[in-house]
Amino acid sequence: MGALLLADTDPDGRLQYIGSVGSGLSDAELHYLVQVLTPLRRPTPAAYPGTRPSLRSGLSQPCR
C-alpha cells in the first residue's frame, strides 16, 4: 500500500474524493490494514467524482 485515498462528506452528505496521502505506516501496520480492508473491497468507488483514483487502487467500503 503506497498511499491512502481520502474522501470527505459534502454538504449533501455524499462522499467526495479529496486526495491521497503517503501511508508512512510500518510493515506490520500495512499487513494489518490489508487484512482489515480486503473483505471490504468493492468494484466501484464509494465517493463520487473529484479526481478519479487510479485503476490500480483498491477500493473499500467507507469507514466512518
Side-chain angles (χ1 to χ4, degrees):
M1 183 181 309
L4 300 174
L5 303 181
L6 304 175
D8 196 7
T9 51
D10 70 7
D12 295 324
R14 298 177 296 177
L15 285 174
Q16 182 172 6
Y17 173 76
I18 58 171
S20 63
V21 295
S23 71
L25 301 171
S26 70
D27 287 343
E29 291 166 324
L30 290 171
H31 179 73
Y32 171 76
L33 276 179
V34 168
Q35 288 180 313
V36 169
L37 294 175
T38 296
L40 301 175
R41 284 187 73 103
R42 56 181 289 147
T44 59
Y48 74 94
T51 303
R52 185 175 179 175
S54 161
L55 293 177
R56 291 181 38 202
S57 301
L59 305 171
S60 71
Q61 290 294 101
C63 301
R64 295 184 187 238

